[in-house]
Amino acid sequence: MSTYVYGITTGSHPSLPDGMEGVGEPARQVRIIKEGDLAAVVSDAPEGLRPKRRDLLAHQNVLAETGAAASVLPMRFGSVSPDDEAVASVLAERADHFKERLEALSGKVEYNVKATHDEEAVLHRVMSENPEVRSLTEANRQAGGGSYDDKLRLGEVVVAAVQHREVEDAAELQRALEPVAAAMSVGPESTGWLANLSFLVERASAEDFIAAVEEVRKAQPHLEVRLHGPLPPYSFVEPGPSEPAETHH
């Protein structure tokens, strides 16, 4: 029977609530595998698990319950190991790494920030900031709309200016929020977003981080900023490029 892993915590972590249930239908009983100073929060893995709402919520609930009492390294939904022995051997092999991460993530949560342009607002901004866009627009207007080539040229210049603005705005967002976070992780590029950033934030200073996001919204009205959190710090279980991991042979 393969083993579903919710997260990793210290071996001295308080015991789980009685009868705690995890993923699967019927829900599998959650249990602990201890190895040295560490413990894994696991259950039996259901066959053919899919990210259905019920199971995603069950995964989150196990992490929330476990994390309420002490620091926990969250595994992403769907983390399955061949059996309990395999889980224990990973805990033993990577003990130093897991202990360092547990300490680094103690008392911290993750916030994900995504940003995109308000199309109309960014066009206004590009028009006001970019002399070439202004002069081409004016020339076309005076020529009764301009020729096909003129319109094409204007379109190309506008697209280039908006793309440049995207890069500038992503950097600006990063500059504004990094100082109020303990660490930052750049998420995968996804269509439609000019920035997809995860921040590790001290739970105690989360209000300061949320206020900094609000400041960005006010200062950059042409940006649509989406804030998601607090979340378990999924993006920081492995150290980022600024904190190189030791290589294991």
Side-chain angles (χ1 to χ4, degrees):
M1 167 72 71
S2 53
T3 304
Y4 186 97
V5 185
Y6 299 88
I8 294 163
T9 184
T10 59
S12 60
H13 190 290
S15 57
L16 298 171
D18 280 344
M20 188 174 178
E21 294 185 331
V23 296
E25 247 173 295
R28 307 302 194 264
Q29 288 290 111
V30 177
R31 51 196 168 80
I32 293 273
I33 298 171
K34 288 196 177 183
E35 175 63 44
D37 299 334
L38 294 168
V41 181
V42 305
S43 67
D44 291 345
E47 288 291 318
L49 185 67
R50 295 279 176 275
K52 295 197 295 275
R53 180 175 164 75
R54 190 219 158 276
D55 287 324
L56 288 166
L57 287 174
H59 180 93
Q60 285 170 11
N61 184 51
V62 170
L63 284 172
E65 290 268 358
T66 315
S71 188
V72 62
L73 286 186
M75 297 294 114
R76 290 191 186 274
F77 178 85
S79 301
V80 174
S81 199
D83 52 34
D84 285 12
E85 288 72 29
V87 174
S89 71
V90 170
L91 290 181
E93 280 165 27
R94 304 197 69 201
D96 289 348
H97 166 76
F98 291 139
K99 285 179 201 167
E100 181 277 324
R101 288 285 87 196
L102 277 164
E103 202 171 307
L105 301 184
S106 178
K108 297 182 182 75
V109 289
E110 178 172 330
Y111 282 90
N112 176 255
V113 178
K114 288 189 174 80
T116 186
H117 275 150
D118 175 313
E119 220 166 295
E120 203 171 320
V122 80
L123 285 174
H124 279 297
R125 178 148 189 173
V126 161
M127 290 284 285
S128 65
E129 285 178 346
N130 191 305
E132 191 179 2
V133 171
R134 277 207 308 278
S135 61
L136 282 170
T137 306
E138 185 55 29
N140 283 6
R141 195 180 63 74
Q142 287 182 355
S147 67
Y148 173 77
D149 284 347
D150 292 338
K151 285 177 182 165
L152 200 61
R153 172 76 189 130
L154 176 60
E156 286 168 353
V157 171
V158 168
V159 166
V162 168
Q163 285 172 343
H164 177 71
R165 190 71 255 165
E166 283 182 357
V167 174
E168 293 281 308
D169 286 336
E172 187 64 38
L173 188 67
Q174 202 167 314
R175 273 197 300 274
L177 299 180
E178 232 177 336
V180 282
M184 187 192 77
S185 170
V186 179
E189 283 185 23
S190 53
T191 320
W193 303 108
L194 61 87
N196 176 14
L197 305 168
S198 289
F199 294 90
L200 186 65
V201 176
E202 291 279 356
R203 201 186 288 273
S205 62
E207 282 182 18
D208 296 340
F209 183 81
I210 293 164
V213 172
E214 278 308 313
E215 283 302 311
V216 171
R217 284 184 176 136
K218 281 186 202 143
Q220 312 279 9
H222 66 292
L223 278 186
E224 287 176 4
V225 181
R226 189 173 297 179
L227 177 65
H228 191 40
L231 307 162
Y234 293 112
S235 303
F236 301 92
V237 171
E238 295 298 326
S242 57
E243 324 163 66
E246 291 175 32
T247 48
H248 294 274
H249 299 287

